[in-house]
């Protein structure tokens, strides 16, 4: 997948989350920095001031579900967030949909597919993400979800002043 197509899918996924909530209730951040070089997702979406969605776009089935390399499912499990998502082209998903659903279900990861339609990219939800539990989720007494954003330094600074990447989505 060319980086141009990857970027189009990232923008389409960000729009999907932005439009899925009322636009003022969802802030999206593209290519956020993290404190760990191994856990850099493509998108962080902060929805309804409650839920931190982490989205990783992968070009093919092998990169999304290969457990021997740090991509896809393995990479997204290292990213702090409440709900995690993998997005991949629909053609790649259709190569082995049962394995894709099974792998995502086991790890409570949501699955999105992308398909080029005309000049744009359409996103479809295949499998819903379940709330993450454990040390990378926001569960715990007195721990608001916005504390997860502190693990993404450039996101947290912009979140505090009410800024996000919405203008890049137009």
């Amino acid at each position: 997948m060319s980086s141009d197509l990857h970027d189009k899918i990232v923008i389409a996924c960000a729009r999907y989350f932005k439009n899925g909530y009322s636009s003022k209730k969802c802030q999206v951040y593209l290519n956020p920095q993290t404190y760990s070089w191994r856990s850099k997702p493509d998108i962080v979406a902060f929805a309804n001031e409650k839920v931190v969605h982490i989205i990783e776009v992968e070009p093919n089935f092998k990169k999304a579900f290969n457990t021997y390399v740090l991509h896809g499912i393995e990479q997204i499990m290292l990213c702090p967030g409440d709900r995690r998502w993998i997005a991949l082209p629909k053609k790649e998903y259709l190569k082995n949909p049962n394995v894709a659903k099974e792998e995502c279900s086991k790890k409570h990861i949501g699955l999105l597919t992308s398909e080029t339609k005309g000049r744009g990219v359409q996103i479809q939800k295949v499998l819903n993400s379940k709330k993450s539990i454990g040390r990378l989720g926001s569960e715990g007494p007195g721990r608001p979800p916005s504390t997860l954003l502190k693990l993404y330094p450039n996101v947290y600074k912009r979140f505090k002043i009410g800024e996000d990447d919405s203008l890049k989505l137009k």
Side-chain angles (χ1 to χ4, degrees):
M1 174 182 352
S2 70
S3 71
D4 185 43
L5 181 56
H6 179 270
D7 293 346
K8 284 181 180 180
I9 295 172
V10 167
I11 295 292
C13 285
R15 277 192 197 125
Y16 177 84
F17 281 91
K18 189 79 172 167
N19 295 337
Y21 296 89
S22 69
S23 61
K24 292 181 182 176
K25 296 279 186 177
C26 184
Q27 293 168 281
V28 293
Y29 303 93
L30 308 178
N31 301 313
Q33 297 171 349
T34 62
Y35 286 115
S36 168
W37 64 271
R38 296 182 299 166
S39 59
K40 185 177 181 235
D42 289 310
I43 305 165
V44 170
F46 188 49
N48 290 339
E49 298 181 0
K50 294 178 183 169
V51 182
V52 178
H53 294 274
I54 307 299
I55 304 100
E56 177 65 23
V57 175
E58 290 297 350
N60 57 49
F61 191 89
K62 187 176 180 180
K63 254 191 166 177
F65 298 104
N66 187 344
T67 57
Y68 300 108
V69 293
L70 193 58
H71 282 287
I73 242 173
E74 296 302 314
Q75 181 182 357
I76 204 78
M77 291 306 293
L78 296 174
C79 298
D82 294 312
R83 295 183 186 265
R84 297 179 179 94
W85 301 83
I86 292 281
L88 69 154
K90 191 171 190 172
K91 284 189 266 183
E92 292 292 324
Y93 162 72
L94 291 174
K95 288 180 179 178
N96 207 338
N98 293 335
V99 170
K101 286 181 185 176
E102 184 181 325
E103 288 298 312
C104 287
S105 290
K106 275 196 277 188
K107 299 196 177 185
H108 306 283
I109 295 172
L111 181 60
L112 304 171
T113 60
S114 64
E115 189 172 22
T116 303
K117 296 273 187 172
R119 294 189 309 178
V121 176
Q122 181 181 1
I123 301 297
Q124 183 178 9
K125 181 173 25 173
V126 175
L127 187 66
N128 217 348
S129 172
K130 296 180 180 162
K131 189 136 174 102
S132 299
I133 54 174
R135 66 184 178 84
L136 296 179
S138 63
E139 293 77 18
R143 183 172 177 193
S146 62
T147 60
L148 282 174
L149 292 181
K150 289 181 181 176
L151 300 173
Y152 300 95
N154 64 333
V155 168
Y156 188 68
K157 288 175 192 167
R158 294 175 62 211
F159 167 74
K160 284 176 61 176
I161 60 172
E163 183 184 287
D164 72 353
D165 286 330
S166 294
L167 293 176
K168 293 181 183 177
L169 306 182
K170 296 185 174 164

